[in-house]
Amino acid sequence: MRQSNLLIPTLKENPNDAEIKSHQLLVRAGFMRQIASGLYSFLPLGNRVLRKVEQIVREEMDEAGASEMLMPALQPSELWKESGRWETFGPELMRINDRHEREFALGATHEEVITSIIRDELKSYKKLPLTVYQIQSKFRDEKRPRFGLLRGREFLMKDAYSFHESFESLDETYEKLFNAYKNIFSRCGLDFRAVIADSGAMGGKDTHEFMVLSEVGEDVIAYSDTSDYAANIEMAPVITTYETSDEKLKELQKVETPNQKTMEEVADYLGHSLDQGIKALMFKVDEQLVLVITRGDHEVNDVKLKNLYDASFVDLASEEETRQAMNAGFGSLGPVGVPEDIDIVADHAVQSLVNVSCGANEDGYHYMNVTPDRDFKVSQYADLRFIQEGDPSPDGNGKIKFARGIEVGHVFKLGRYYSEKMNATYLDQNGKANSFIMGCYGIGVSRTLAAIVEQHHDDNGITWPAQVAPYHVHLLALNVKKNEQLELAEEIYESLKKAGIEVLFDDRQERAGVKFADSDLMGIPLRITVGKRAAEGYVEVKYRDSGEQEDVQQTEIINTVRSFISEVK
Amino acid sequence: MRQSNLLIPTLKENPNDAEIKSHQLLVRAGFMRQIASGLYSFLPLGNRVLRKVEQIVREEMDEAGASEMLMPALQPSELWKESGRWETFGPELMRINDRHEREFALGATHEEVITSIIRDELKSYKKLPLTVYQIQSKFRDEKRPRFGLLRGREFLMKDAYSFHESFESLDETYEKLFNAYKNIFSRCGLDFRAVIADSGAMGGKDTHEFMVLSEVGEDVIAYSDTSDYAANIEMAPVITTYETSDEKLKELQKVETPNQKTMEEVADYLGHSLDQGIKALMFKVDEQLVLVITRGDHEVNDVKLKNLYDASFVDLASEEETRQAMNAGFGSLGPVGVPEDIDIVADHAVQSLVNVSCGANEDGYHYMNVTPDRDFKVSQYADLRFIQEGDPSPDGNGKIKFARGIEVGHVFKLGRYYSEKMNATYLDQNGKANSFIMGCYGIGVSRTLAAIVEQHHDDNGITWPAQVAPYHVHLLALNVKKNEQLELAEEIYESLKKAGIEVLFDDRQERAGVKFADSDLMGIPLRITVGKRAAEGYVEVKYRDSGEQEDVQQTEIINTVRSFISEVK
């Protein structure tokens, strides 16, 4: 394609609202433009990358045995009411009335629609298992759209759904798609982890998020420094064992701690380290008040608390609720002398503590020389804290490190969540009606594009991996007013096109500096510059990523390009 | 693909709501399902055809020099208010508020968005001309969705927009895309006409609709029986010349015509043929009353009337308005003795009439022996009637025939309609700001799919042209319980896949009759049946469209398939 015919509005400066690199660079390099908060147009270069990612997704999904379909974005509210999500999804679900005042949702996801189709069309176990997918624009009315494509309101997504007779069959498909996802993100040139994730309110069991490692990610991943173990930090179990001190037990002592409220203030005031104190927090678990205690240097993981109680709701109690139950505020809570109707649960680490401090359930006072089981009873010791860097990896291999990640994919065992609510059944071998067992599998296609840029850029611009680059070759005619340069460039352009190589030809009447800067910004992996040595039949070939460059004779150009492309494939 | 893994819910009966063949067959053959009025899911087979049409569109658009992009479906109302269409588009434009109560339109078309992008990003004449396109779901809230994909509320569309410095440049691009459209619809196997169309309220000049000839089309096309002239019936000029009768003028005579109101009733009552009467209709042209007269066997074409007056609005006057102006009702209107403030315009055919009848502007009376210019004056003779079958073709070649057509494409010279309203300018060579000259170009991708089925089916089902067929080969293992059949079929399946041939393999445990019926219904062009002669290594090859069949030896299958595919390409 000739650059003079293509809309690539590059910018020298970062746009004001762009906080992260992918947002800045995709706008500056002319790949996209915002038309309203969280809504982007993909200009020709951006669209080409989008199509390449889409094609990789399509190939790997087909290879995994899924078949593509296309469901409408407009979805009748009746289906969402059957699943209950018309009420629970909240304002992120965009809703619209048609001219006859019938309510519709703008597809944020398609579980309801596909379940209704399968309910109507698939009656027999013989047709199972079945996996379908689509690639389509989705809508979510984010409260605060930000970070460009990372949190937009309309975005391209691949969503897939599978239907099964048994959990074993679901497991098989789950694994197939898990592997397909690994192929997809590898082919996109991404450094990612498949991370154990929280199944949330869906009632499902296994679920993994595919996280692209990046400073700007909104999630924290706990991963092993030696194995491929990785989990959302909320989901990583702590397998640390604690040695009990052989220190002699001292007598419990109540001390005044005026205005000392945080763990740090109290430890400082009493002159001990953080891990010599007990932290106590009052939670509401469904309707029950529970006092959760951990070692002073640990943090309560409320997902673990929720799972421990098999609860559907967990949150910190309000200061008012706490004071009413304990006669003390947040700063002085402790496990000693707690009313009997309040459950106390403790993290495993607490059990090994000896002669430590804790709140006295009286404002301005703490206990010293507290020892669990002597001074208070807990109803249960359990794994209740967040894992920390340096903890042993839960799979027994190596130690935990933290990283931030951008979620680009999600695989999820739904079980019978939707099929039961929507009464979607098939007849099994014995003619008995059973609810389908389901899985769902998403990939943020446009988000993946942004994640690639987060991992592939330098100070001068984007450095696209060849597999997803908008073009393979950027051909620059350095000075189109010089005949020998323009002619040679035109010749090379034609021969590259004839060889089936994707080439963008900068045939613009612009200064060399502008052309080089734009080329670096756009990040096409191979640059061929027709410049001063044109008369000799020599061009400069430069690799965008490594910065390596060499002069190549005209006759060798196709070979050079081909060997580069085959190398990266 | 194995049919056992694919969702193809075929039906024996036509769905109740399906009035036309494409709707019936696409549902019955398992290509699509309705999820709400005018909203369809494309199941895997339907999606494959959609992708093939899309790919043909993409290739031809790229070849014509257009570049693909992708704009959001959600469009801020501000842009539509700039163009004025927020008010004028009416209830077909779906509107939605976001969580902050900002108004958005759901993209019915993208003139406003692309004009705003170009306004912001393209400042110099050097970047012109520019053509961009996208392929995307569009939304229009039809009052009465019907005919399946022909009039739906969410549909796949290719829309393109071009920007120019001059009308000459627009003409060039228009012609390029015109030819691209011809290639696209030819490659889709369609019998179509490029038809001169009404430019409507857009102020543009040239516009063509691409019409697929079909009984179920909503538009009537007037085309020449010998040349390639074709026009929307509203747009075809009448070039007929009329000979004036040399009959002697008779005296004007007023006669009673009790209860005779229509042209047919009056002609019958007075005992003359239809073409011996004058038809008179009262129109409102903007705010002006105009009496339009034609020969009794002709029909007024209000587009021509509108163009004659350069009006923005034309409609029949109400009976009340008519009576107030003329003292007579619809059944007795005529051009004799009309108040002076009412314009009379006449179709050319009227000028040659002698001694004919017309309404007397008095209920229950008509005049006989009326002769124009003696008995009444007209302010203008003009071409004001619809063309009729048998009229000479406006291009001077052959005679006019009528056909019905399905509009699948539209090319349109917009001129400065949007750029002026939205203040979209570039700087020309002299540094002067000019409004862009624009064109727009649409293709209904999902509608094209339906149009193909309308032209390609028989009593047993669809007969897909190979270029857009969901698969090229339908391989049937007739009796999967017979080992030699299943084994041979599996072998052939693998060899076809290996040869890169698109094959659907019916490996289901179903009766032969079911397999044949389903295969005919789906319409894959080449059927290979592995049946009784499997042991000898023979299969039956049948061409879906022609019905021809032959027994082919296993070793010859790939060659047979390849020669068929290359033939159709």
Side-chain angles (χ1 to χ4, degrees):
Chain A
M1 191 69 172
R2 285 169 189 277
Q3 209 163 324
S4 55
N5 287 336
L6 212 52
L7 182 66
I8 314 177
T10 55
L11 301 174
K12 290 220 177 76
E13 304 294 331
N14 285 328
N16 283 332
D17 62 333
E19 302 168 63
I20 62 170
K21 276 291 166 190
S22 59
H23 189 181
Q24 293 167 354
L25 289 173
L26 286 169
V27 172
R28 278 187 56 205
F31 282 63
M32 66 180 202
R33 282 297 184 268
Q34 181 176 289
I35 73 155
S37 173
L39 298 174
Y40 292 89
S41 289
F42 291 91
L43 305 185
L45 288 187
N47 182 71
R48 282 184 74 92
V49 180
L50 215 49
R51 296 281 165 229
K52 293 210 173 177
V53 175
E54 196 178 294
Q55 188 54 26
I56 290 172
V57 170
R58 190 169 277 140
E59 285 169 14
E60 295 293 340
M61 291 300 294
D62 290 347
E63 183 64 31
S67 53
E68 189 177 358
M69 53 186 292
L70 181 64
M71 292 177 268
L74 283 173
Q75 308 181 357
S77 62
E78 290 81 358
L79 295 177
W80 286 72
K81 285 173 183 166
E82 285 187 51
S83 75
R85 294 206 298 174
W86 187 255
E87 307 303 330
T88 59
F89 209 100
E92 283 187 16
L93 185 68
M94 300 196 80
R95 296 150 211 251
I96 189 168
N97 283 4
D98 73 3
R99 64 198 294 160
H100 308 298
E101 295 303 322
R102 282 191 58 188
E103 296 168 322
F104 288 84
L106 266 188
T109 163
H110 278 72
E111 280 84 359
E112 284 82 359
V113 176
I114 189 65
T115 303
S116 83
I117 292 173
I118 297 298
R119 170 176 67 185
D120 294 344
E121 307 299 344
L122 200 160
K123 311 287 190 192
S124 160
Y125 73 95
K126 286 189 204 165
K127 291 277 186 183
L128 297 174
L130 182 82
T131 309
V132 293
Y133 74 98
Q134 60 175 354
I135 301 174
Q136 188 199 41
S137 287
K138 294 281 191 287
F139 303 86
R140 264 180 227 178
D141 199 0
E142 292 281 351
K143 195 166 181 183
R144 288 196 310 129
R146 61 192 295 214
F147 293 157
L149 301 181
L150 289 191
R151 210 195 282 172
R153 300 201 283 177
E154 180 176 342
F155 48 94
L156 201 61
M157 191 170 158
K158 187 283 299 174
D159 46 327
Y161 308 91
S162 69
F163 295 83
H164 310 269
E165 270 198 285
S166 68
F167 282 97
E168 292 70 35
S169 166
L170 171 59
D171 290 346
E172 268 175 43
T173 296
Y174 188 87
E175 202 187 318
K176 265 191 213 166
L177 291 179
F178 189 95
N179 289 324
Y181 276 38
K182 289 213 278 192
N183 294 341
I184 289 165
F185 297 121
S186 298
R187 289 177 65 185
C188 289
L190 288 167
D191 182 15
F192 66 95
R193 295 265 176 164
V195 165
I196 300 161
D198 181 20
S199 58
M202 291 293 192
K205 227 181 149 194
D206 280 359
T207 167
H208 285 86
E209 289 165 355
F210 285 77
M211 291 280 190
V212 171
L213 303 182
S214 164
E215 293 277 307
V216 305
E218 299 188 60
D219 298 274
V220 177
I221 305 162
Y223 69 97
S224 162
D225 61 358
T226 55
S227 77
D228 67 354
Y229 177 86
N232 190 306
I233 187 177
E234 291 180 337
M235 295 303 294
V238 173
I239 61 163
T240 311
T241 52
Y242 309 92
E243 253 177 67
T244 307
S245 154
D246 52 6
E247 203 179 311
K248 210 179 137 197
L249 299 199
K250 298 183 190 162
E251 202 176 326
L252 188 68
Q253 188 186 349
K254 190 171 178 179
V255 294
E256 214 173 340
T257 50
N259 298 320
Q260 311 303 314
K261 290 193 171 167
T262 67
M263 284 307 298
E264 288 75 10
E265 285 167 357
V266 173
D268 260 13
Y269 188 82
L270 299 179
H272 61 68
S273 59
L274 263 184
D275 61 5
Q276 291 299 302
I278 287 176
K279 182 189 287 183
L281 294 171
M282 185 63 82
F283 276 88
K284 267 184 96 166
V285 179
D286 290 335
E287 287 308 299
Q288 184 186 356
L289 284 176
V290 176
L291 190 73
V292 181
I293 59 178
T294 61
R295 212 170 69 186
D297 59 331
H298 290 159
E299 300 292 334
V300 176
N301 178 337
D302 52 2
V303 171
K304 290 180 178 176
L305 179 62
K306 194 173 162 192
N307 291 341
L308 183 69
Y309 278 84
D310 199 13
S312 57
F313 169 85
V314 155
D315 204 357
L316 278 173
S318 68
E319 177 121 29
E320 200 187 323
E321 288 167 316
T322 305
R323 188 168 292 280
Q324 203 170 354
M326 302 286 284
N327 258 319
F330 285 162
S332 297
L333 295 184
V336 181
V338 171
E340 286 211 348
D341 58 331
I342 294 176
D343 238 10
I344 304 178
V345 291
D347 180 65
H348 289 303
V350 172
Q351 196 160 19
S352 311
L353 298 179
V354 168
N355 298 332
V356 295
S357 76
C358 70
N361 294 325
E362 185 179 341
D363 289 348
Y365 288 89
H366 277 72
Y367 284 117
M368 288 181 67
N369 302 331
V370 180
T371 299
D373 300 323
R374 182 193 71 176
D375 301 320
F376 62 89
K377 295 271 174 280
V378 305
S379 65
Q380 200 176 162
Y381 287 104
D383 172 17
L384 285 171
R385 71 166 171 97
F386 275 106
I387 204 163
Q388 291 184 330
E389 283 196 293
D391 276 333
S393 173
D395 69 344
N397 298 309
K399 291 192 167 170
I400 283 299
K401 287 195 162 184
F402 285 175
R404 302 191 78 85
I406 300 166
E407 185 192 336
V408 287
H410 199 164
V411 289
F412 201 107
K413 294 185 185 172
L414 291 170
R416 298 193 176 93
Y417 187 86
Y418 288 94
S419 56
E420 283 180 350
K421 282 185 191 293
M422 296 182 68
N423 199 22
T425 61
Y426 64 94
L427 296 179
D428 68 14
Q429 270 183 296
N430 306 315
K432 194 175 148 271
N434 275 312
S435 301
F436 293 98
I437 293 167
M438 291 171 58
C440 73
Y441 317 87
I443 288 181
V445 176
S446 41
R447 184 183 272 195
T448 295
L449 188 152
I452 294 169
V453 177
E454 287 298 334
Q455 286 195 343
H456 296 273
H457 67 264
D458 62 17
D459 289 346
N460 298 322
I462 308 174
T463 57
W464 291 109
Q467 304 91 318
V468 294
Y471 293 88
H472 291 137
V473 173
H474 200 180
L475 175 66
L476 272 53
L478 216 50
N479 188 340
V480 294
K481 284 175 189 159
K482 295 208 170 157
N483 264 343
E484 75 275 12
Q485 289 189 24
L486 185 60
E487 275 166 26
L488 180 57
E490 290 279 357
E491 229 174 87
I492 295 170
Y493 177 54
E494 291 304 325
S495 67
L496 287 169
K497 276 205 301 182
K498 215 169 141 187
I501 291 160
E502 298 175 28
V503 53
L504 179 66
F505 177 24
D506 190 348
D507 59 342
R508 297 175 301 161
Q509 288 202 16
E510 292 282 1
R511 286 179 302 106
V514 171
K515 292 192 174 195
F516 284 137
D518 278 354
S519 181
D520 280 349
L521 198 52
M522 289 176 213
I524 294 169
L526 206 64
R527 191 182 78 196
I528 298 176
T529 307
V530 181
K532 284 184 187 151
R533 294 189 71 191
E536 303 164 58
Y538 270 93
V539 300
E540 183 202 85
V541 170
K542 186 172 178 183
Y543 298 86
R544 175 69 185 86
D545 196 15
S546 68
E548 281 170 50
Q549 61 187 72
E550 49 177 336
D551 280 4
V552 171
Q553 222 189 342
Q554 185 187 356
T555 52
E556 280 307 305
I557 291 174
I558 300 282
N559 283 341
T560 306
V561 173
R562 282 216 171 115
S563 81
F564 171 73
I565 293 175
S566 68
E567 209 173 277
V568 296
K569 268 187 179 161
Chain B
M1 191 70 173
R2 286 171 190 275
Q3 209 162 324
S4 55
N5 287 336
L6 211 52
L7 182 66
I8 314 177
T10 55
L11 300 174
K12 289 218 177 77
E13 304 294 332
N14 285 329
N16 283 332
D17 62 333
E19 302 166 64
I20 62 170
K21 276 291 166 189
S22 61
H23 189 182
Q24 293 168 353
L25 289 172
L26 287 168
V27 173
R28 278 187 57 203
F31 282 63
M32 67 179 201
R33 282 297 183 269
Q34 179 174 291
I35 73 154
S37 172
L39 298 173
Y40 292 89
S41 289
F42 291 90
L43 304 185
L45 288 187
N47 183 72
R48 284 184 72 93
V49 181
L50 216 48
R51 296 281 165 230
K52 294 212 171 177
V53 175
E54 196 178 295
Q55 188 53 27
I56 290 173
V57 170
R58 190 169 276 138
E59 286 169 13
E60 296 292 339
M61 290 301 294
D62 290 347
E63 182 64 30
S67 53
E68 189 176 356
M69 55 184 291
L70 181 64
M71 292 176 268
L74 284 173
Q75 309 182 357
S77 62
E78 289 80 359
L79 295 178
W80 286 73
K81 286 172 182 165
E82 285 188 50
S83 74
R85 293 208 298 175
W86 186 256
E87 308 303 330
T88 59
F89 208 100
E92 283 187 17
L93 185 67
M94 299 195 80
R95 296 150 209 253
I96 189 168
N97 284 2
D98 73 3
R99 64 198 295 159
H100 308 298
E101 295 302 324
R102 282 191 58 188
E103 296 167 320
F104 288 84
L106 266 189
T109 164
H110 278 71
E111 280 84 359
E112 283 82 359
V113 176
I114 189 64
T115 303
S116 84
I117 293 173
I118 296 299
R119 168 175 71 187
D120 293 344
E121 307 299 344
L122 200 159
K123 312 285 190 193
S124 159
Y125 72 96
K126 285 188 206 166
K127 292 278 187 183
L128 296 174
L130 181 83
T131 309
V132 294
Y133 74 97
Q134 60 175 353
I135 300 175
Q136 188 200 41
S137 287
K138 294 280 191 288
F139 303 85
R140 263 179 227 178
D141 199 0
E142 292 281 352
K143 195 167 182 183
R144 287 196 310 131
R146 62 193 294 215
F147 293 157
L149 301 181
L150 289 191
R151 209 195 282 172
R153 299 201 284 176
E154 180 176 342
F155 48 93
L156 200 62
M157 192 169 157
K158 187 284 299 176
D159 47 327
Y161 308 92
S162 69
F163 295 83
H164 309 270
E165 270 197 282
S166 67
F167 281 97
E168 292 70 37
S169 166
L170 171 60
D171 290 346
E172 268 174 43
T173 296
Y174 188 87
E175 200 186 320
K176 265 191 214 166
L177 291 179
F178 189 94
N179 289 324
Y181 275 39
K182 289 213 278 190
N183 294 341
I184 289 166
F185 297 120
S186 298
R187 287 178 66 185
C188 288
L190 287 168
D191 182 14
F192 66 94
R193 294 267 174 160
V195 165
I196 300 160
D198 181 18
S199 59
M202 291 294 192
K205 225 180 152 197
D206 279 359
T207 168
H208 286 86
E209 289 165 354
F210 285 77
M211 291 280 190
V212 171
L213 303 183
S214 164
E215 293 276 309
V216 305
E218 299 188 60
D219 297 275
V220 177
I221 305 162
Y223 68 97
S224 162
D225 59 0
T226 55
S227 76
D228 68 355
Y229 177 85
N232 190 306
I233 188 176
E234 290 178 339
M235 295 303 295
V238 174
I239 60 162
T240 310
T241 51
Y242 309 92
E243 253 176 69
T244 307
S245 154
D246 52 5
E247 204 179 309
K248 210 178 139 196
L249 300 197
K250 296 182 190 162
E251 202 177 327
L252 186 71
Q253 187 186 347
K254 190 171 179 179
V255 295
E256 214 174 337
T257 49
N259 298 319
Q260 312 303 314
K261 290 191 170 169
T262 67
M263 284 308 298
E264 287 76 11
E265 286 166 358
V266 172
D268 260 14
Y269 187 81
L270 299 179
H272 61 68
S273 59
L274 264 183
D275 60 4
Q276 290 300 301
I278 288 176
K279 182 188 286 183
L281 294 171
M282 185 65 82
F283 276 87
K284 267 185 96 167
V285 179
D286 290 336
E287 287 307 300
Q288 184 186 356
L289 284 177
V290 176
L291 190 73
V292 182
I293 59 178
T294 61
R295 209 169 72 186
D297 58 331
H298 290 157
E299 301 291 332
V300 176
N301 179 335
D302 52 1
V303 171
K304 290 180 178 177
L305 179 62
K306 193 173 163 193
N307 291 340
L308 183 69
Y309 279 84
D310 200 14
S312 56
F313 169 85
V314 155
D315 203 357
L316 278 174
S318 68
E319 177 122 29
E320 200 187 324
E321 287 167 315
T322 305
R323 190 169 289 281
Q324 204 169 352
M326 302 286 284
N327 259 319
F330 285 162
S332 295
L333 295 184
V336 180
V338 171
E340 286 211 350
D341 59 328
I342 293 175
D343 237 11
I344 304 177
V345 291
D347 179 66
H348 289 305
V350 173
Q351 196 160 17
S352 313
L353 297 179
V354 167
N355 299 330
V356 295
S357 76
C358 71
N361 294 323
E362 185 180 342
D363 291 346
Y365 289 89
H366 276 75
Y367 285 117
M368 287 180 67
N369 303 331
V370 179
T371 299
D373 300 322
R374 181 193 73 177
D375 300 321
F376 62 89
K377 294 271 172 282
V378 305
S379 66
Q380 202 175 161
Y381 287 103
D383 172 16
L384 285 171
R385 70 165 170 98
F386 275 106
I387 204 163
Q388 292 184 331
E389 283 195 295
D391 276 332
S393 174
D395 69 345
N397 297 310
K399 292 192 166 170
I400 284 299
K401 287 195 162 185
F402 284 176
R404 301 192 78 84
I406 300 167
E407 185 191 337
V408 288
H410 199 164
V411 290
F412 202 107
K413 294 184 183 171
L414 291 170
R416 298 193 176 94
Y417 188 86
Y418 288 93
S419 57
E420 283 180 349
K421 282 185 190 292
M422 297 182 67
N423 199 21
T425 61
Y426 64 94
L427 296 179
D428 69 14
Q429 270 184 296
N430 307 314
K432 194 177 149 272
N434 275 312
S435 301
F436 293 98
I437 293 167
M438 292 172 58
C440 73
Y441 317 87
I443 287 182
V445 176
S446 41
R447 184 183 273 195
T448 296
L449 188 152
I452 295 170
V453 177
E454 287 298 334
Q455 286 194 343
H456 295 273
H457 67 264
D458 60 20
D459 289 345
N460 298 321
I462 308 174
T463 56
W464 291 109
Q467 305 91 317
V468 294
Y471 293 88
H472 291 137
V473 173
H474 200 179
L475 175 66
L476 272 54
L478 216 50
N479 187 341
V480 294
K481 286 176 187 158
K482 294 208 169 157
N483 264 343
E484 77 273 13
Q485 289 189 23
L486 186 60
E487 275 166 26
L488 181 57
E490 290 280 356
E491 229 175 88
I492 295 169
Y493 178 54
E494 291 306 324
S495 68
L496 287 169
K497 276 206 301 183
K498 216 170 140 187
I501 290 160
E502 297 175 29
V503 53
L504 179 65
F505 177 24
D506 189 349
D507 59 342
R508 297 174 301 161
Q509 289 201 14
E510 292 282 0
R511 285 181 301 108
V514 171
K515 292 193 174 195
F516 284 137
D518 277 355
S519 181
D520 280 349
L521 199 52
M522 290 175 211
I524 294 169
L526 207 63
R527 191 181 79 196
I528 298 178
T529 307
V530 182
K532 284 184 185 150
R533 294 188 71 190
E536 305 163 57
Y538 270 93
V539 301
E540 183 202 83
V541 171
K542 186 172 177 184
Y543 298 86
R544 174 69 183 88
D545 195 15
S546 67
E548 281 170 50
Q549 61 186 69
E550 49 177 338
D551 280 4
V552 171
Q553 222 189 344
Q554 185 186 356
T555 50
E556 281 306 305
I557 292 174
I558 300 281
N559 282 341
T560 306
V561 173
R562 283 215 172 116
S563 81
F564 171 73
I565 294 175
S566 69
E567 210 172 279
V568 296
K569 269 187 179 162

